[in-house]
Amino acid sequence: MPDIAVEVEALSYKYPDGNLALDNVSLSASPGELIALLGPNGAGKSTLLLHLNGILKGEGSIRIFGEDIKNKKRSKIIEKIGIVFQDPDDQLFMPTVFDDVAFGPLNMGLSKQEVKMRVESALKKVGLKGYEDRCPHNLSFGEKKKAAFATILSMEPEIIILDEPASNLDPQSSRALFKIIKELKDKGKTIIIATHDIGIVPEIADKIYILDHKIIAEGTPRQIFSDADLLKKTNLEAPKITMLFEILTCFGYNCNDLPLSIDEAITHLTQSIETKGGHMHLHIHEHTHNEIKKITKKYGHHK
C-alpha cells in the first residue's frame, strides 16, 4: 500500500461567479491517519471535500493511494472514498432507510445477502437498528445525520470524508458519533473531517490543517492549539480544558504541557496528586489576578 492515502497538490477552484474558493491548496493524509480541517465559515472546507471524490474538479491534482482521480470514473472513486455531506437531505433520497443504506453496496455488485449484512451492521453502528422500514424524510435531523453516515459505512471505503458530522446534533448524539469515528480510525480507516467542534479535535486528530481559501497552518493538535497568535489570527479557540488548566497555573498548579482533552486532564491530575501524597494545594498570591487577566486577554475573554 502507498505511504500516502490522500494527496492534494496545488488545488485551486473558482466559484461560478468568479470568486476564488481554493487557492493553491496542498495537503496529505497517510493510511490510518485522521486529519481535522478547521477554518471559518466560507473558507472553502466543503468545496475542498467535494473535490476528493470527484464531485468538483479544479486546477491541480488529487491522488488516492497514488492514483490521480482526474480521469477516473466516479463509480470507481467512491469505492475507495466515501463522503458524508453536511446536510443529510443531500444524501438520502430512497423510500426507506434500508434502501438508502443498501444503495451503495448494491451498485458495487454485491450479493443480496452481503448487502443485507452490511446494512444491518451499518445501522447498528450508528444506533438506528430497527429503522430499516422508516421513511428517511420523516426522521429527525439527528437521525438523518446518522442514516447518512450509515450509507457510507455500508460501502466500507478505505477513506471516509465527513463534513461537519456533529452539526445540529445534541451533545449525547455528537459524542456517540465521534466514538464511531474514533473506532473507525483505530481499525485503520483514513479519515478527513471538517468540524467546528474544537473540543473533540485533540481526542481524535493526528494532524490539523487550517484552511481559509488557502492553507494557513498545519501541525499536530498540540502545535496548533499551543500557538495563541495563530489561534487569534484564524479566529479559533483553544479547547476549554486547555484554558482551564492555564488558569490553574495562576493558582500554583504545575503544568508545563497543558492538557488538550478530558483524558489528558484526568491523566495529568491523577499523576499530580499521586506525586504529592494524595493531595495538591492551590493558592492565591499577589500576582494571581494579573496573571489571570493576561491569560483571559490572550484567549480573547474578559472578566
Side-chain angles (χ1 to χ4, degrees):
M1 179 180 289
D3 294 334
I4 304 297
V6 179
E7 188 171 17
V8 178
E9 188 173 1
L11 179 65
S12 295
Y13 179 78
K14 286 185 178 180
Y15 293 124
D17 63 6
N19 284 322
L20 191 62
L22 300 173
D23 182 10
N24 199 36
V25 170
S26 296
L27 59 79
S28 64
S30 300
E33 192 171 37
L34 192 148
I35 300 297
L37 194 60
L38 306 181
N41 289 330
K45 299 188 297 297
S46 295
T47 301
L48 171 58
L49 298 184
L50 291 174
H51 278 79
L52 298 182
N53 73 344
I55 294 176
L56 295 179
K57 297 181 185 295
E59 298 295 324
S61 66
I62 298 172
R63 289 181 287 277
I64 303 299
F65 293 112
E67 292 187 41
D68 196 312
I69 69 170
K70 184 168 285 186
N71 298 316
K72 290 183 75 71
K73 292 183 178 179
R74 280 206 63 239
S75 59
K76 292 298 181 183
I77 297 172
I78 62 177
E79 289 180 7
K80 295 276 188 183
I81 186 166
I83 182 169
V84 182
F85 300 126
Q86 183 173 355
D87 186 349
D89 286 325
D90 292 337
Q91 203 139 2
L92 304 172
F93 54 89
M94 300 293 281
T96 70
V97 171
F98 182 95
D99 292 334
D100 261 320
V101 182
F103 183 83
L106 281 171
N107 280 276
M108 292 168 65
L110 302 176
S111 68
K112 289 185 177 180
Q113 183 178 1
E114 175 67 17
V115 169
K116 186 172 183 293
M117 288 174 58
R118 288 197 181 198
V119 171
E120 289 175 352
S121 174
L123 290 176
K124 184 177 180 181
K125 277 179 182 156
V126 300
L128 291 184
K129 182 179 179 182
Y131 279 63
E132 287 84 351
D133 296 327
R134 298 275 297 272
C135 174
H137 298 292
N138 292 335
L139 302 179
S140 70
F141 188 84
E143 289 169 338
K144 287 181 181 180
K145 295 278 280 191
K146 293 175 183 177
F149 196 7
T151 66
I152 297 304
L153 294 181
S154 65
M155 297 179 70
E156 299 183 1
E158 296 174 66
I159 301 164
I160 298 174
I161 309 296
L162 299 141
D163 192 1
E164 298 291 351
S167 64
N168 296 307
L169 290 185
D170 61 76
Q172 186 174 354
S173 296
S174 176
R175 177 62 59 176
L177 190 62
F178 279 115
K179 182 181 178 183
I180 296 169
I181 293 170
K182 191 173 186 304
E183 289 171 351
L184 290 167
K185 174 183 179 295
D186 292 341
K187 290 179 179 177
K189 298 291 186 184
T190 304
I191 301 173
I192 299 177
I193 176 171
T195 182
H196 283 100
D197 194 338
I198 294 296
I200 200 68
V201 169
E203 296 185 28
I204 62 173
D206 298 302
K207 186 164 59 177
I208 295 172
Y209 286 92
I210 300 179
L211 178 71
D212 193 356
H213 303 294
K214 58 184 178 182
I215 299 297
I216 303 299
E218 65 176 279
T220 66
R222 184 160 300 282
Q223 288 170 333
I224 295 296
F225 292 126
S226 297
D227 189 336
D229 290 337
L230 173 64
L231 296 179
K232 192 178 225 180
K233 175 184 172 185
T234 54
N235 292 319
L236 295 173
E237 279 193 342
K240 299 296 185 187
I241 198 73
T242 304
M243 298 183 200
L244 171 61
F245 270 77
E246 190 159 5
I247 292 292
L248 286 177
T249 64
C250 300
F251 294 91
Y253 184 75
N254 185 15
C255 191
N256 292 324
D257 289 326
L258 296 169
L260 298 175
S261 66
I262 292 293
D263 287 344
E264 286 187 11
I266 292 170
T267 300
H268 204 288
L269 283 171
T270 302
Q271 291 174 347
S272 297
I273 292 172
E274 286 176 346
T275 57
K276 297 183 183 298
H279 60 273
M280 56 188 293
H281 294 287
L282 300 179
H283 59 270
I284 296 177
H285 55 74
E286 59 179 314
H287 302 298
T288 297
H289 294 298
N290 286 333
E291 290 170 359
I292 291 173
K293 284 180 182 178
K294 288 179 184 177
I295 292 171
T296 54
K297 184 178 180 182
K298 168 184 171 181
Y299 288 116
H301 291 274
H302 303 280
K303 285 184 65 180

